[in-house]
Amino acid sequence: MASSSDEQGCCGHCACSAGQGEDKDGKSRREFLAYTAGAMGAVGAGAAAWTLIDSMNPAADTLALSTTEVDVSALKEGESLTALWRGKPVFIRRRTTKEVEEARAVALTDLRDPQTDQDRVKQSVINGKESPEWLVVVGVCTHLGCVPLGQKPTDPHGEFDGWFCPCHGAQYDSSARIRKGPAPKNLEVPPYQFIDATRIKIG
Amino acid sequence: MAHDERAPFKNPVIAWIDARLPIFSFMNKEYGQNPTPRNFNIWWNFGALSLAMLIIMAVTGIFLAMNYTPSTDHAFASVERIMRDVKGGWLLRYLHANGASMFFIVVYIHTFRGLFYGSYKAPRELLWLFGVAIFLLMMATAFTGYVLPWGQMSFWGATVITNLFSAIPLIGDAVVTWLWGGFSVDNPTLNRFFVLHFLLPFVLFGIVGLHVAALHVTGSNNPSGVEPKSGKDTVPFHPYYTVKDLLGIALFLALYAAVVFYAPNFLGHPDNYIPANPLATPAHIMPEWYFLPFYAILRAVTVDITVPFTNIVLISSKLGGVILMFGATGVLMVLPWLDRSPVRSGAYRPWFRVFFWVLVVDCLTLGLMGAKPVEEPFTTIAQLATFYYFFHFLAVLPLLAKFEKTLPLPSSIAESLSVKKTLRVLLPVLFLIGLAMQAQAAESDAFPPHRPTAGWAQEGILGRYDQAALRRGFQVYKQNCSSCHSLKYLSYRHLAALGYSAREVAAIAAGNNVADGPNDQGEMFQRPARPSDAFVKPFANDQAARAANNGALPPDLSLIVKARHGHEDYVYSLLTGFDQTPPEGEKIAAGMSYNPYFPGHQIAMFAPLQEDSVTYTDGTKATVDQEARDITEFLAWAAEPEMETRKKTGVWVVAFLVALAGVLSLLKREVWKKLD
């Protein structure tokens, strides 16, 4: 049997093809064993690699810290505060009636990421009563992760009475929806609920 | 066969790359057709095994480092977080910690193989020297790594080993201060040891590269010690030795996995599960088993060398011990020039062979003595063994080279194959016996015996915790222990493993108040604990705990079962041991209780368990014995919450590796059968 005719699963270049004088059965048996061992080795290496990679995912203690409680009793209409949730800023804004009306007057067709204001504040329910003046969003620009300005009255609020990201000029409206600039999405609304009139549980 | 010149590769991509950077040609030359002696025995597997272990250590180490914090305040806790909360963290850590032992087993066998078959002789002296350098670097890496968990053995090991350098005349103290970066082993030391532990393996890879490069210049030695003369003496490296090395690796990994999954702490010391305490040295400190022979040599020197008839000390016993300890590796560096016998392989040197085995037994003896306390007869035995170690290299080998009548050498490797293979299994058997003896030596002495128990549900390969006992034990902890003993590495969420629902866990947590803050006014405040909170501690700090407990610090119980010799049996014995009366004449100090199972027999804790001191929700009768068994079971879980997963995973991993070894063994037989 010509030694050049077989490829032992590698580059086929090595002396591993020194199969002179072997009968066909012996050779196929050897190939079968080589492929079996190779397949098992691949499975084992894959399992080991996954163990290593998975160890970099959030650990149990990190996952357990996924809720935070915020006292919002000090917020007056037209004021905002920033809370920390999962290491990220969360904007909590008690909007003025004007801001709510502005947000609701926009046609969905004018929006890059169409979503109604009603939809974005539907979790703002205090003691069973809808309270659309409360807007809760993750304060991370959906472009590349900077924190937009607009929490303080003296901050720039952009053209839409909301937030303005200084990094690349994304502008969000008073519902924190993207209106202008490079960001693709509205600011994310996290899961939250009002424990009572003064406390919000985020996460 | 036309394999010598660079043949074109069929695959155009490979051919393209190879024409520009001939890595494929290189691999083919060095690992494909590389003519390799055909008579390697099992001992030639350990070079490839060493490389496999080095890679495993590097990879697991890198991923561990991603979750480890090199700071005295956080190191111990970050290791516990790896064990308890990081996904697969317990597996990575046990692989790494036991991997060090496995690496040393492999390298020691590899080294003794070289010693027996004369692999250090011309033209392989440089190859051997690189090997000794690798060994030294390995020891430095292992030592710095052992410090990182920042347990008691880490801390005191670091203290003792760095103090070795204080023996250097004149500049010793300055060198030690420099090593520490302070006035004791402390945060700067830990920080730099972490850096060194991360750095040195890369240096190791570099020297291993040189070791292998030198090997590929001289070619491998072989059991006959005769260089290959013709094509009949060699086989191409691939597939003959690739399959053999892979089989060896699969078999060794199976053994390694068995240790990792079923005896992960067998080679460690319970004391290292106690956080480092600079104020108290453990009663029995000793290094990891792989350093024990060197440790024995260090301690063997007990006399100062003085100028005759004066009191002027030339070499203090301290310096002498350090010199001999480093000298033990030093003689290996000059070995190629000490043993000038023209015959390489011990197989053809009848007297050399005898002395070789004496050396093996001598090294095991040194290891055993390294684990013993410094008292007679161990000191004398260690001194004699130390003497023989140096005598072997400095006197026996040079003299044998002159006077030994060697056996006639075979004319070729092919001819040598007819020689019977000798003493195949003796070496590993001796190694394993030595290991077991050393591990046992640590356990046996000076620890009070334990009460006989009926055994524990968690014992054995498929042992699992008794969940009902865990829940009862948790009740006992809350009722009887938690007012003094913290459980700080556990969080309430961990109680889900006891079968509590999320709602029950939240309720248990909320029953405790935890300090939080500062709030908007800048003040700390109390709030009900949440499942994500760690178990609330009974005292704000150690000082408060001591003040409330007559000066004694109630230890944290998170790891108590792992951190004491005897483990469950010890805790159970201690808790039930308050019913004993002290022997006549033993005076019990004020505020102390007699307990024969506590080291020193006097403990600052009063009998913590009484009949019916808890009312079990499952209706079990709360005898003292029952309470002690339940709390011990609970604390065993608290120390090793990963145990059930570990044992279950182990079945699959070991079975897989054994199956892989089976397939490789059949493949090896197929590959080799036309030669045999």
Side-chain angles (χ1 to χ4, degrees):
Chain A
M1 194 170 293
S3 64
S4 60
S5 65
D6 58 306
E7 298 209 24
Q8 293 286 334
C10 54
C11 56
H13 190 68
C14 312
C16 61
S17 48
Q20 288 96 333
E22 267 196 26
D23 56 75
K24 216 158 181 96
D25 281 352
K27 196 166 144 87
S28 66
R29 176 179 156 83
R30 178 167 148 187
E31 268 176 5
F32 171 75
L33 287 169
Y35 282 121
T36 308
M40 288 179 81
V43 169
W50 174 247
T51 305
L52 294 167
I53 292 165
D54 195 34
S55 76
M56 289 171 69
N57 273 317
D61 60 329
T62 309
L63 292 173
L65 287 175
S66 52
T67 63
T68 191
E69 273 179 39
V70 188
D71 182 355
V72 295
S73 57
L75 275 191
K76 296 193 199 65
E77 205 175 272
E79 287 183 347
S80 305
L81 69 75
T82 309
L84 192 68
W85 174 65
R86 289 184 174 176
K88 292 186 283 199
V90 171
F91 294 164
I92 302 174
R93 181 161 177 85
R94 190 168 185 179
R95 300 183 293 180
T96 60
T97 322
K98 174 174 164 273
E99 284 169 350
V100 176
E101 279 165 5
E102 272 173 9
R104 299 195 165 190
V106 182
L108 280 184
T109 47
D110 291 346
L111 297 172
R112 182 177 300 163
D113 179 12
Q115 201 180 11
T116 64
D117 184 63
Q118 284 85 340
D119 232 20
R120 291 175 61 75
V121 297
K122 65 180 178 212
Q123 296 177 92
S124 298
V125 180
I126 300 174
N127 298 328
K129 183 171 162 285
E130 287 186 19
S131 312
E133 74 268 30
W134 292 97
L135 178 71
V136 181
V137 291
V138 176
V140 174
C141 181
T142 56
H143 180 220
L144 292 170
C146 298
V147 179
L149 297 171
Q151 287 292 84
K152 283 187 262 175
T154 50
D155 279 350
H157 295 272
E159 296 165 30
F160 303 92
D161 224 4
W163 288 266
F164 170 77
C165 185
C167 291
H168 307 99
Q171 303 200 19
Y172 298 89
D173 66 12
S174 57
S175 189
R177 292 172 299 198
I178 182 65
R179 299 296 290 275
K180 202 173 179 182
K185 298 259 179 205
N186 304 332
L187 291 188
E188 182 195 344
V189 178
Y192 65 92
Q193 71 179 94
F194 278 83
I195 299 168
D196 52 40
T198 60
R199 284 186 302 154
I200 303 180
K201 188 175 124 190
I202 306 170
Chain B
M1 285 200 272
H3 280 304
D4 292 342
E5 76 273 13
R6 205 160 82 212
F9 288 90
K10 283 181 212 146
N11 185 322
V13 177
I14 289 176
W16 187 90
I17 295 173
D18 201 71
R20 286 153 182 83
L21 182 69
I23 43 173
F24 295 98
S25 297
F26 169 80
M27 286 304 288
N28 184 36
K29 177 166 173 289
E30 299 298 338
Y31 290 99
Q33 64 198 47
N34 185 23
T36 311
R38 59 182 286 181
N39 60 334
F40 284 175
N41 55 29
I42 188 173
W43 308 120
W44 262 261
N45 270 64
F46 286 82
L49 272 175
S50 307
L51 184 59
M53 284 314 303
L54 178 60
I55 292 169
I56 289 173
M57 293 302 282
V59 170
T60 52
I62 284 169
F63 284 87
L64 283 171
M66 293 191 198
N67 282 301
Y68 169 77
T69 311
S71 135
T72 50
D73 288 339
H74 301 290
F76 192 91
S78 75
V79 172
E80 276 311 305
R81 179 176 174 270
I82 288 171
M83 291 300 288
R84 290 160 193 272
D85 288 337
V86 171
K87 286 181 178 170
W90 58 268
L91 178 53
L92 293 184
R93 175 163 173 267
Y94 279 152
L95 279 171
H96 198 72
N98 287 291
S101 286
M102 293 295 148
F103 198 1
F104 272 98
I105 290 176
V106 166
V107 164
Y108 276 132
I109 293 178
H110 187 61
T111 308
F112 275 92
R113 188 271 286 156
L115 285 174
F116 184 80
Y117 292 106
S119 301
Y120 47 85
K121 294 190 178 188
R124 299 186 180 84
E125 303 97 320
L126 198 56
L127 173 59
W128 173 260
L129 283 179
F130 283 132
V132 179
I134 289 169
F135 179 55
L136 284 169
L137 264 176
M138 261 181 80
M139 291 201 285
T141 309
F143 162 64
T144 49
Y146 192 62
V147 175
L148 302 184
W150 208 241
Q152 274 288 66
M153 285 296 188
S154 301
F155 181 88
W156 292 101
T159 301
V160 169
I161 300 299
T162 49
N163 265 314
L164 290 180
F165 295 90
S166 70
I168 304 171
L170 303 177
I171 57 164
D173 287 334
V175 168
V176 174
T177 306
W178 174 78
L179 280 173
W180 288 339
F183 304 105
S184 62
V185 173
D186 208 337
N187 201 54
T189 326
L190 177 59
N191 209 147
R192 63 188 59 183
F193 276 24
F194 176 61
V195 173
L196 290 173
H197 187 65
F198 210 109
L199 170 72
L200 292 180
F202 293 96
V203 183
L204 258 178
F205 271 108
I207 301 182
V208 167
L210 293 173
H211 189 65
V212 172
L215 173 73
H216 282 242
V217 171
T218 62
S220 293
N221 185 24
N222 68 78
S224 76
V226 177
E227 297 290 340
K229 294 194 173 74
S230 71
K232 272 189 180 169
D233 290 340
T234 62
V235 290
F237 191 84
H238 180 73
Y240 291 96
Y241 285 116
T242 41
V243 71
K244 196 175 176 190
D245 281 343
L246 286 173
L247 171 59
I249 288 171
L251 283 172
F252 190 77
L253 287 183
L255 170 75
Y256 178 22
V259 174
V260 163
F261 289 102
Y262 296 105
N265 293 303
F266 177 71
L267 293 166
H269 301 295
D271 282 297
N272 221 28
Y273 285 110
I274 303 171
N277 177 3
L279 299 178
T281 311
H284 302 271
I285 71 161
M286 59 169 177
E288 293 292 86
W289 68 267
Y290 39 80
F291 290 140
L292 288 175
F294 296 96
Y295 195 56
I297 292 175
L298 172 75
R299 299 193 308 185
V301 182
T302 52
V303 288
D304 297 340
I305 297 174
T306 56
V307 178
F309 312 114
T310 68
N311 285 330
I312 302 164
V313 177
L314 279 181
I315 300 174
S316 65
S317 56
K318 178 174 170 179
L319 179 59
V322 174
I323 290 173
L324 284 194
M325 192 184 77
F326 283 102
T329 319
V331 289
L332 296 179
M333 290 189 186
V334 289
L335 174 60
W337 298 277
L338 291 171
D339 176 8
R340 310 300 290 255
S341 169
V343 176
R344 270 199 205 107
S345 169
Y348 301 97
R349 301 183 61 187
W351 282 103
F352 171 88
R353 205 153 64 190
V354 172
F355 284 106
F356 171 82
W357 288 109
V358 174
L359 179 72
V360 171
V361 172
D362 185 63
C363 289
L364 290 173
T365 308
L366 280 170
L368 194 57
M369 292 307 115
K372 293 285 181 191
V374 188
E375 58 192 45
E376 291 302 338
F378 309 125
T379 307
T380 306
I381 296 174
Q383 285 167 341
L384 290 173
T386 302
F387 172 77
Y388 180 76
Y389 182 87
F390 287 97
F391 184 74
H392 180 90
F393 288 105
L394 298 175
V396 172
L397 292 185
L399 289 174
L400 277 182
K402 276 212 168 84
F403 299 110
E404 185 180 30
K405 277 222 165 37
T406 56
L407 303 178
L409 289 177
S411 60
S412 72
I413 290 174
E415 192 208 306
S416 78
L417 290 174
S418 54
V419 177
K420 257 175 68 186
K421 290 156 184 168
T422 50
L423 298 175
R424 271 208 145 173
V425 288
L426 195 56
L427 197 57
V429 169
L430 276 174
F431 259 100
L432 291 176
I433 291 171
L435 264 185
M437 283 194 309
Q438 281 156 14
Q440 283 306 307
E443 296 282 342
S444 60
D445 309 321
F447 294 101
H450 309 298
R451 279 208 155 156
T453 66
W456 302 93
Q458 59 270 30
E459 286 170 351
I461 285 181
L462 289 171
R464 308 193 55 172
Y465 293 117
D466 172 353
Q467 209 170 56
L470 290 183
R471 291 166 75 130
R472 288 195 301 270
F474 175 52
Q475 257 195 292
V476 177
Y477 170 75
K478 273 195 301 187
Q479 186 70 37
N480 298 42
C481 317
S482 64
S483 58
C484 293
H485 292 279
S486 58
L487 209 51
K488 63 182 172 187
Y489 299 113
L490 258 67
S491 297
Y492 295 105
R493 65 192 154 80
H494 289 134
L495 290 172
L498 271 55
Y500 291 113
S501 68
R503 192 179 292 270
E504 287 170 312
V505 170
I508 292 167
N512 301 273
N513 273 330
V514 60
D516 199 350
N519 62 13
D520 293 344
Q521 280 70 49
E523 277 153 18
M524 304 301 284
F525 58 91
Q526 295 279 320
R527 62 162 172 80
R530 295 193 274 261
S532 60
D533 286 313
F535 269 58
V536 175
K537 294 189 226 172
F539 301 103
N541 50 54
D542 286 358
Q543 285 75 6
R546 279 187 195 280
N549 285 284
N550 214 358
L553 179 67
D556 182 82
L557 297 183
S558 315
L559 286 160
I560 202 85
V561 169
K562 247 170 151 179
R564 294 291 183 273
H565 287 273
H567 309 294
E568 287 96 333
D569 292 343
Y570 167 79
V571 175
Y572 168 80
S573 302
L574 184 85
L575 289 174
T576 54
F578 290 90
D579 58 355
Q580 311 278 309
T581 43
E584 222 156 298
E586 185 154 344
K587 196 171 172 325
I588 305 300
M592 305 291 271
S593 309
Y594 175 75
N595 191 316
Y597 303 105
F598 188 71
H601 301 178
Q602 298 197 26
I603 184 169
M605 175 168 71
F606 288 96
L609 306 174
Q610 284 85 34
E611 181 117 0
D612 292 324
S613 58
V614 285
T615 310
Y616 284 133
T617 47
D618 65 0
T620 306
K621 170 84 179 124
T623 60
V624 170
D625 186 73
Q626 183 69 42
E627 291 170 24
R629 279 194 70 83
D630 291 342
I631 182 67
T632 304
E633 181 87 359
F634 173 72
L635 293 176
W637 167 79
E640 295 196 288
E642 90 298 341
M643 188 274 290
E644 291 184 1
T645 319
R646 166 159 60 76
K647 288 181 174 174
K648 267 187 272 177
T649 315
V651 174
W652 288 101
V653 174
V654 174
F656 172 81
L657 288 170
V658 169
L660 178 61
V663 172
L664 284 169
S665 147
L666 293 174
L667 180 60
K668 183 197 157 237
R669 195 176 303 167
E670 282 296 315
V671 168
W672 279 80
K673 76 177 175 195
K674 46 186 175 300
L675 280 180
D676 286 342

Coordinates of all heavy atoms in Angstrom, one line a residue, chain B residues 571-604:
Chain B
V571 N -14.8 17.8 65.3 CA -15.9 18.7 65.8 C -16.9 18.0 66.7 O -17.3 18.5 67.7 CB -16.6 19.4 64.6 CG1 -17.7 20.3 65.0 CG2 -15.5 20.2 63.8
Y572 N -17.3 16.8 66.2 CA -18.3 16.0 66.9 C -17.7 15.6 68.3 O -18.4 15.8 69.3 CB -18.7 14.8 66.1 CG -19.4 13.7 66.9 CD1 -20.8 13.9 67.1 CD2 -18.8 12.6 67.5 CE1 -21.5 13.0 67.9 CE2 -19.5 11.7 68.2 CZ -20.8 11.9 68.4 OH -21.6 10.9 69.1
S573 N -16.5 15.2 68.3 CA -15.9 14.7 69.6 C -15.8 15.9 70.6 O -16.1 15.8 71.8 CB -14.4 14.2 69.4 OG -14.5 13.1 68.5
L574 N -15.4 17.1 70.0 CA -15.2 18.2 70.9 C -16.6 18.6 71.5 O -16.7 18.9 72.7 CB -14.7 19.4 70.1 CG -14.4 20.7 70.9 CD1 -13.1 20.6 71.5 CD2 -14.6 21.9 70.1
L575 N -17.6 18.6 70.7 CA -18.9 19.1 71.1 C -19.5 18.1 72.2 O -20.3 18.5 73.0 CB -19.9 19.2 70.0 CG -19.5 20.4 69.1 CD1 -20.4 20.5 67.8 CD2 -19.7 21.7 69.8
T576 N -19.2 16.8 72.1 CA -19.7 15.9 73.0 C -18.8 15.6 74.1 O -19.1 14.8 75.1 CB -20.1 14.5 72.3 OG1 -18.9 14.1 71.6 CG2 -21.2 14.7 71.3
G577 N -17.6 16.2 74.1 CA -16.5 15.8 75.0 C -16.6 16.5 76.4 O -15.7 16.4 77.2
F578 N -17.6 17.3 76.6 CA -17.7 18.1 77.9 C -18.2 17.2 79.0 O -18.3 17.6 80.1 CB -18.6 19.3 77.7 CG -18.0 20.4 76.8 CD1 -18.2 20.4 75.5 CD2 -17.2 21.3 77.4 CE1 -17.6 21.3 74.7 CE2 -16.6 22.3 76.6 CZ -16.9 22.3 75.2
D579 N -18.6 16.0 78.7 CA -19.2 15.1 79.7 C -18.0 14.4 80.5 O -18.3 13.6 81.4 CB -20.1 14.1 79.2 CG -19.5 13.2 78.1 OD1 -18.3 13.5 77.7 OD2 -20.1 12.3 77.5
Q580 N -16.8 14.6 80.1 CA -15.7 13.8 80.7 C -15.2 14.6 81.9 O -15.2 15.8 82.0 CB -14.5 13.7 79.7 CG -14.9 13.2 78.3 CD -15.0 11.7 78.3 OE1 -14.1 11.0 78.7 NE2 -16.2 11.3 77.8
T581 N -14.7 13.8 82.9 CA -14.1 14.4 84.1 C -12.6 14.4 83.9 O -12.1 13.5 83.4 CB -14.5 13.7 85.4 OG1 -14.4 12.3 85.1 CG2 -15.9 14.0 85.8
P582 N -12.0 15.5 84.4 CA -10.6 15.6 84.2 C -9.9 14.6 85.1 O -10.4 14.2 86.1 CB -10.2 17.0 84.7 CG -11.4 17.5 85.5 CD -12.6 16.7 85.0
P583 N -8.7 14.0 84.6 CA -8.0 13.1 85.4 C -7.5 13.8 86.7 O -7.3 15.0 86.7 CB -6.8 12.7 84.5 CG -6.7 13.8 83.5 CD -8.1 14.3 83.3
E584 N -7.3 13.0 87.7 CA -6.9 13.5 89.0 C -5.6 14.3 88.8 O -4.7 13.9 88.1 CB -6.7 12.4 90.0 CG -7.2 12.8 91.3 CD -7.6 11.6 92.2 OE1 -8.4 10.8 91.7 OE2 -6.9 11.4 93.2
G585 N -5.5 15.4 89.4 CA -4.3 16.2 89.4 C -4.3 17.3 88.3 O -3.5 18.2 88.3
E586 N -5.2 17.1 87.3 CA -5.2 18.2 86.2 C -6.1 19.3 86.7 O -7.3 19.2 86.9 CB -5.8 17.6 84.9 CG -5.7 18.6 83.8 CD -5.7 18.0 82.4 OE1 -5.4 16.8 82.3 OE2 -5.9 18.7 81.4
K587 N -5.4 20.5 86.8 CA -6.1 21.6 87.4 C -6.7 22.5 86.3 O -6.1 22.8 85.3 CB -5.1 22.5 88.2 CG -5.7 23.5 89.2 CD -4.7 24.1 90.0 CE -5.2 25.2 90.9 NZ -6.2 26.1 90.3
I588 N -8.0 22.7 86.4 CA -8.7 23.4 85.4 C -8.7 24.9 85.8 O -9.1 25.3 86.8 CB -10.2 23.0 85.2 CG1 -10.2 21.4 85.0 CG2 -10.9 23.7 84.1 CD1 -9.5 21.0 83.8
A589 N -8.2 25.7 84.8 CA -8.1 27.2 85.1 C -9.5 27.8 85.2 O -10.4 27.3 84.6 CB -7.3 27.8 84.0
A590 N -9.5 28.9 85.9 CA -10.8 29.6 86.0 C -11.3 30.0 84.6 O -10.6 30.5 83.7 CB -10.6 30.9 86.8
G591 N -12.6 29.8 84.4 CA -13.2 30.2 83.1 C -13.0 29.2 82.0 O -13.3 29.4 80.9
M592 N -12.4 28.0 82.4 CA -12.1 27.0 81.4 C -12.9 25.8 81.6 O -13.3 25.5 82.8 CB -10.6 26.7 81.3 CG -9.7 27.9 81.1 SD -9.9 28.6 79.5 CE -8.6 27.7 78.6
S593 N -13.1 25.0 80.6 CA -13.8 23.7 80.8 C -12.8 22.6 80.4 O -11.9 22.8 79.5 CB -15.0 23.5 79.9 OG -15.9 24.6 80.0
Y594 N -13.0 21.4 81.0 CA -12.1 20.3 80.5 C -12.7 19.6 79.3 O -14.0 19.4 79.3 CB -12.0 19.3 81.7 CG -11.3 18.0 81.3 CD1 -9.9 18.1 81.2 CD2 -11.9 16.9 81.1 CE1 -9.2 17.0 80.8 CE2 -11.2 15.7 80.7 CZ -9.9 15.8 80.6 OH -9.2 14.7 80.2
N595 N -11.9 19.4 78.3 CA -12.4 18.6 77.2 C -11.2 17.9 76.6 O -10.3 18.5 76.0 CB -13.0 19.6 76.1 CG -13.7 18.9 75.0 OD1 -13.2 17.8 74.5 ND2 -14.9 19.4 74.7
P596 N -11.2 16.5 76.7 CA -10.0 15.8 76.3 C -9.8 15.8 74.8 O -8.7 15.4 74.4 CB -10.4 14.3 76.7 CG -11.9 14.3 76.8 CD -12.3 15.7 77.2
Y597 N -10.7 16.3 74.0 CA -10.5 16.3 72.5 C -10.0 17.6 72.0 O -9.7 17.7 70.9 CB -11.9 15.9 71.8 CG -12.4 14.6 72.3 CD1 -13.5 14.6 73.2 CD2 -11.8 13.4 72.0 CE1 -14.0 13.4 73.7 CE2 -12.3 12.2 72.4 CZ -13.4 12.2 73.3 OH -13.8 11.0 73.8
F598 N -9.9 18.5 72.9 CA -9.3 19.8 72.5 C -7.8 19.8 72.8 O -7.4 19.4 73.9 CB -10.0 20.9 73.4 CG -9.6 22.3 72.9 CD1 -10.1 22.8 71.7 CD2 -8.8 23.1 73.7 CE1 -9.8 24.1 71.3 CE2 -8.5 24.4 73.3 CZ -9.0 24.9 72.1
P599 N -7.0 20.3 71.9 CA -5.5 20.3 72.1 C -5.2 21.1 73.4 O -5.7 22.3 73.6 CB -4.9 21.0 70.9 CG -6.0 20.9 69.8 CD -7.3 20.8 70.5
G600 N -4.6 20.5 74.4 CA -4.3 21.2 75.6 C -5.4 20.9 76.7 O -5.2 21.2 77.9
H601 N -6.5 20.3 76.2 CA -7.5 19.8 77.1 C -8.3 20.8 77.9 O -9.2 20.5 78.7 CB -7.0 18.8 78.2 CG -6.3 17.6 77.5 ND1 -5.7 16.6 78.2 CD2 -6.2 17.3 76.2 CE1 -5.3 15.7 77.4 NE2 -5.5 16.1 76.1
Q602 N -8.0 22.1 77.7 CA -8.8 23.1 78.4 C -9.3 24.1 77.4 O -8.5 24.7 76.6 CB -7.9 23.8 79.5 CG -7.5 22.8 80.5 CD -7.0 23.5 81.8 OE1 -7.4 24.6 82.1 NE2 -6.2 22.8 82.5
I603 N -10.6 24.3 77.4 CA -11.2 25.2 76.4 C -12.0 26.2 77.0 O -12.6 26.0 78.1 CB -12.0 24.3 75.4 CG1 -12.6 25.1 74.3 CG2 -13.1 23.5 76.2 CD1 -13.2 24.2 73.2
A604 N -12.0 27.4 76.4 CA -12.7 28.6 77.0 C -14.2 28.5 76.7 O -15.0 29.3 77.3 CB -12.2 29.9 76.5

